[in-house]
Structures are given as structure tokens and as C-alpha cells.
Amino acid sequence: MLARHYIGESWKHGLLIIGALIVLIPFYMMVSMSLKSQQEIQSISGGLVGAQEIQTFPVCTKHGYTEEVCTMRPYKYNFWFAFKKAPIPRYLMNGLIVTVSIFLIQVLIALPCSYALAKLRFKGREFVFSMVLFCLLIPVHAIALPLYVMLAKAGLVDTYAALIIPWTISVFGIFLMRQFFMTVPDELIDAARMDGMGEYSIVWKVMLPVAIPALLAFAIFSVVAHWNDYFWPRIVITGNRDLFTPPLGIREFRGGIDSDEFGPMMASIVTVTIPLIVAFIVAQKRFVEGITMTGMK
Amino acid sequence: MHHSKAHIWFVWPAIILMIVILILPIFLAGGISFTNYNLGNSSFEWVGTENYEKMFSRKTYIKMIISTATYVLIVVPVSVVLGLVAAIMLNSLRFGADIYKTIFFLPVMATLLAMAIAWEFTLHPTLGIINSYLANGCGGIREFILGFHWLPWVSSEDSWYSVACANNMDFPYWLKDKKTAIWTICFIGVWQAFGFNMVLYLAGLTSIPRELYHAAEMDGAQSTWEQFKLVTWPMLGPTTLFVVTITTIRSFQVFDTIEILTKGGPAKTTYVMMYAIFEKAIQQNITSIGAAITVVFIIFIILLTFFQRYVIEKRVHY
């Protein structure tokens, strides 16, 4: 019986390991290319990290650096040159500015609204809630074109505002918070009113602290989605490099796939991708919880 | 109940934003789709249903509908089944489940655009490790396994693998060949999506009470498969409904991989709707036809969700 159990288990591990290897292939490729020299990449040799021989890089000297500066190990060169060629910190900063602003505005709008929908009685409440339910059906990407027309008419293309405005309303956030507030006992709110608190202070001083777990889940959901979003920035940012978010930066690095060096290109892609992956691995439980909690509704 | 006017200030900002950002654009798209308006033009004319007629008669748009449908009909079932299988396997493991979970969830978190580029190099005909792996396997065990020589009806001469080996390592060009491009894009779609489905199924599995399995065993459901049919699958009904809905909506919106890897080609075999909207309306500035595609797209998605929420939902509650 026990032996049978172990055989069953190792069979599963076998399948799962094959699956895991397939899943990891592009990650392997990405990391490996960011470390190796151009010759090793083109001849598909050197395994994961390559030989790391100190050498002089011709593309670097062509850019006007002295031979001395351009002589180093491939992994160092790839990352060094990537930062020389593109304003990577700027892209990461933009990503941060956009995702954080989106999240803060979403909370600012959604939290009071969901509190009112869950705990206040007023005329038209049912109507507002059914409006929220209807809007849940509309993916913002699907209406990107008319939104783009509106923003273009308002002269907002190529601004931070264009990156942020369409995402300021999260009906999903309203729905999630409302469901969460429904479970908060009325006594808590009544007690706060007895203490003479107004509705505004109740929202920000009583409900907000209570809602932290749900907000954290929502934060992960929102930040991940907008950090990775490529479609919308691609539409509203047409050329101003100063406004590039990480995915737009990635696209720019790729530029000429046949002409340029692959090492520095992959190094920039790794740099831009890594913050979120590291955050995920460190706080894995929270991430999975966040995604499932927001996912299950 | 408490009386205060506070709700006005709480609710109205959200209502205004919902109307301006989510509802108004639908009507705007509807309006533009009946005109010949292009962004930048000061005037326009009403052209009736001309844009829609173009959409349903021109070859380009028929190809668009075919490639979108292919993508959705492949990625949704495959990633849902894979997610379910992975969840059930992980749920029954005694150790190691967390490591697999992390790995399978990585593609969900990682920036898809970056991963698309990584796949581009992995699948590259000359630089990629996939084709070099295949080429190094000619005449060996890889050829035997991946060439399906172990199937009695596949002779070792005419399997795809042996033919490629014999023809000077003529392995598929994946994203560059019109026969394989859409399937490769679908593969990347499944690769990215199944981990998300797996996590949702894992959450669904933990909510199934143990007693149900004991009861099923009492009733004579001994094998794993019978228990799955009798308990697991019906109990996962709501999860499945949700997973299918969200995967379908996301698959309809596939864009990143297309834009970076194929640009709708070769021969428009991967010309999906989001890419069509982008190419026509943003790059070529034909706003009106882009609006018509948008309207069809929104109708698709709304119908789909309504169908899943209000029709099937009645049947999945046990």
C-alpha cells in the first residue's frame, strides 16, 4: 500500500518536473542571454552563464568609449551597456509613478462609494449598484479606441494623465470593497457615530483600517496589472521617451533584433522585469492570496 | 438608519467616472462606427452600415475573426484543463507542491511583453535553444519520443522529426511560418494563463469538504476517476464557470504577444481583434473602421458574460 503510494507520487513528480521545465525555458533563455557574450549567444554555447572571458567589445568602442573602458567580462558589459544606452531608472520610475497614482486614485474613489453602497441607505442605491455590476462587464482595453479619441480631443496624448485617467475608476474595486464592507458589523459604525464622528472620518478612520486586508489584495491586483500593461501605454504614448513605462522601454530595447547586440538588450529586459518577480517570490503567499481573493469575487 | 447627505459626495465621483470613462465611450464608438470620421479630420459624414459591411465582407476581417476564434477556442479549454490537472496533482502531493505552484505562477506575474521577447529568442530558427535541441537529437532518443516513433502507425521515415533531420535540419520556423504561427502564439497564451487558473482551482479544491469523498466512497465510488466525476467536478462548478469566463475575456484581448512577435502575420494568420483595432485605428488612423471592430468586440464580450452569468450560473449551483 505504502509502496504503491510512493510510486503514484513519483509519477506525479515526473510529470510536474517536465511541466516546470517547460514553464521555465524562456526565463532560462532570458537570464542566460543577459549574461553571455554575443558570440556565445549566436553559437548557442556556454550553457547558462557562458565562459565569462574578459574581452573588448567592438560595439562599445564604436560608441566612442576607449578600449580600456570597453574591456570587461560579458555579464558586466551587458548590464553596464544597457544602462548606458537607455534611461532604465527613468522607465522604472515612470512605472512606479503610474501604478502608485492609479492605485491611490482608485482607492480614493472606490472606498467611499463602496462604503455608501454597503452601509448607507439612500434613494437610488440599488440603481448605482446595478450600474457597478453592468460596468464590471466592460473591459477597459475593449473601449480603448473611443477613450483614445476622447483623450486626443482633450489634448492629453503623451502625458501622465493619459496613462492614469482611464484607470481611475475601478468598478471591480468598488465591488470588492462593498462585499468586504457588508461583513463589517453595523455596531462598529454606530459606535463611531455615537462618538460624534462624521461620515467622512468614519470612511477614512474606521473603515479604511478595517479594510486593509482587502485593500492589500486589491493593491497587488492593481499594481501587477498596470505595471505589466503594454496595450494602453502603447496607444497613448507616441514618442516621448520621458514617459515610457517599463513595457514601452522593453519594446524600445528590442528595436532592431538583427542588427544590435542581444546581451545588453536582454540585460535591460531582465532589469525591468526583475522588480515584480522578486516582489512576487518574497511575498508569494500574499500575491497568490491577492489574486485568488480578487479573482473569486 | 442614519440620515446624512454624505452619500452624495461618496457616490457621485464614482458615478461620474463610470459614465465618462466606461459608458460614454461605448456610445461614442457606436456613433463613430456609422460615420467616416478619422481622428484629425474636422468634418465627417454619416455612412450608415458601410463600415460593418466592409468588416463582414473583406478578407482581412474574416481572417481577423478566424484567428481570434482560433486563439480563444484553443487557449481557453487547454489552459483551463491544464490548470485543473495541475491543481489536482498539486493538491494530492505530500511535498514539493509549493515549489511547483511558484514556478507555474511565474508567467502570470512576469511582464508578458518581456516574456514574449524571451520566447522569440527561444523559438528563433537559428539562435533558439528549441531548434538546436531538436537538431542535436537527430538519430537519438529525442527523435524517437518527439517524432512519435513509438506509435505503431508512425513509421520512422515519415515522422515530422525524421523528415526535418533528413532535410538538413529543416525544423519549424514557429512564429515565422504561416502554418505554425497561430499555434505557437496559442502555446504562449496557454503557458501564460494556466498558472492563474491553477491557483483559482487550488482555492476551489480546499473548499470541498472531506466528508463528501467519504460519502462517495460509501456509495461505491472507489476509483479516483469516479470520485472526481461524482464529487470534485460538480463541486468545482462555480470555480470552473468563473475560470472559463475570465480566461475567455482575457483571450479575446490578446495583444502583447501579437504586436511584438508576429504583427498579425504571416499572411494575417495571427491578425486578432485587438491588434486589428490597434493597426487600423491607431497606426493607419482609420478611426471609423476601428470603432466598428470595437463595437463588435464589446457586443461579443457582453453577450458572453451575460450568457455565462445568468444562463449557466443557474445550473452550476448545487
Side-chain angles (χ1 to χ4, degrees), chain A residues 2 5-6 9 11-13 15-17 19-20 22-30 33 41-42 44 109 112-113 115-116 119-122 128 131-143 145-150 152-153 165-166 168-169 171 174 193 199-200 203 221 224 227-231 234-235 247-248 250-251 254 257-258 262 265-266 269 272-273 276-277 280-281 284 287-288 291-292 294-297, chain B residues 1-2 4 6-7 9-11 13-15 17-26 28-29 32 37 39-41 86 89-90 92-96 98 100-115 117-122 124 126-130 132 187 191 194 196 199-200 203 239 242 249-250 253 255-256 259-261 263 274 277-278 281-283 287 290-291 294 297-298 301-302 305-306 309:
Chain A
L2 202 68
H5 198 98
Y6 274 109
E9 183 114 346
W11 166 82
K12 281 179 204 155
H13 279 292
L15 275 183
L16 287 165
I17 287 170
I22 295 174
V23 167
L24 290 175
I25 289 173
F27 293 98
Y28 171 89
M29 193 72 180
M30 192 165 96
M33 280 177 72
I41 294 170
Q42 276 171 336
I44 323 180
I109 304 282
C113 179
Y115 166 70
K119 292 293 178 196
L120 298 178
R121 205 151 291 173
F122 58 92
V128 175
M131 200 166 142
V132 170
L133 289 181
F134 174 75
C135 287
L136 271 175
L137 302 179
I138 308 166
V140 178
H141 280 174
I143 52 169
L145 175 60
L147 275 174
Y148 168 72
V149 172
M150 286 161 70
K153 283 280 156 208
I165 288 174
T168 50
I169 177 82
V171 273
I174 296 177
R193 286 189 189 125
E199 296 296 317
Y200 296 94
V203 169
F221 172 86
V224 169
W227 181 273
N228 287 337
D229 187 22
Y230 170 63
F231 181 66
R234 178 85 177 88
I235 287 181
L248 287 179
I250 292 176
R251 192 197 125 80
R254 179 177 162 276
I257 195 164
D258 295 315
F262 302 138
M265 180 199 79
M266 260 327 171
I269 293 178
V272 166
T273 320
L276 204 60
I277 294 186
F280 164 62
I281 290 172
Q284 204 211 127
F287 270 73
V288 174
I291 302 282
T292 42
T294 44
M296 289 315 288
K297 299 193 175 171
Chain B
M1 198 65 196
H2 188 75
S4 138
H7 62 83
W9 296 103
F10 289 175
V11 173
I15 293 180
L17 286 176
M18 272 192 274
I19 291 171
V20 175
I21 292 175
L22 297 171
I23 296 174
L24 185 68
I26 297 181
L28 186 62
I32 295 177
Y37 175 78
L39 195 61
N41 289 11
M89 281 171 84
L90 291 192
S92 68
L93 282 186
R94 292 196 298 177
F95 64 91
D98 281 343
Y100 296 119
K101 199 163 93 178
T102 310
I103 293 173
F104 293 161
F105 202 69
L106 270 179
V108 182
M109 302 298 314
T111 309
L112 181 56
L113 196 75
M115 299 324 293
I117 296 173
W119 272 117
E120 179 177 33
F121 278 95
T122 312
H124 195 282
T126 54
L127 301 170
I129 49 174
I130 298 287
S132 93
F187 169 80
W191 170 85
F194 91 97
F196 181 76
V199 163
L200 292 180
T239 312
F242 179 72
I249 292 176
R250 287 184 180 191
Q253 296 178 53
F255 175 80
D256 299 14
E259 210 254 351
I260 209 85
L261 297 176
K263 302 219 176 293
M274 285 305 264
I277 294 175
F278 172 74
I282 309 292
Q283 290 193 315
T287 314
T294 299
F297 190 58
I298 293 168
I301 285 184
I302 291 188
T305 348
F306 261 113
R309 274 209 198 145

Side-chain angles (χ1 to χ4, degrees), chain A residues 257, chain B residues 120 124-125 173-181 261-262 266:
Chain A
I257 195 164
Chain B
E120 179 177 33
H124 195 282
Y173 275 34
W174 307 117
L175 293 159
K176 306 241 154 55
D177 184 335
K178 68 177 178 192
K179 278 190 284 241
T180 49
L261 297 176
T262 66

Side-chain angles (χ1 to χ4, degrees), chain A residues 175-239:
Chain A
F175 182 79
L176 186 81
M177 291 295 151
R178 184 242 181 207
Q179 300 304 88
F180 187 82
F181 286 151
M182 296 289 271
T183 64
V184 174
D186 286 337
E187 289 76 33
L188 186 71
I189 299 156
D190 289 336
R193 286 189 189 125
M194 298 283 207
D195 288 348
M197 280 176 112
E199 296 296 317
Y200 296 94
S201 355
I202 292 180
V203 169
W204 300 114
K205 289 188 184 143
V206 179
M207 297 314 267
L208 179 69
V210 170
I212 293 289
L215 274 177
L216 205 62
F218 180 63
I220 288 168
F221 172 86
S222 168
V223 167
V224 169
H226 296 117
W227 181 273
N228 287 337
D229 187 22
Y230 170 63
F231 181 66
W232 183 250
R234 178 85 177 88
I235 287 181
V236 289
I237 303 301
T238 50

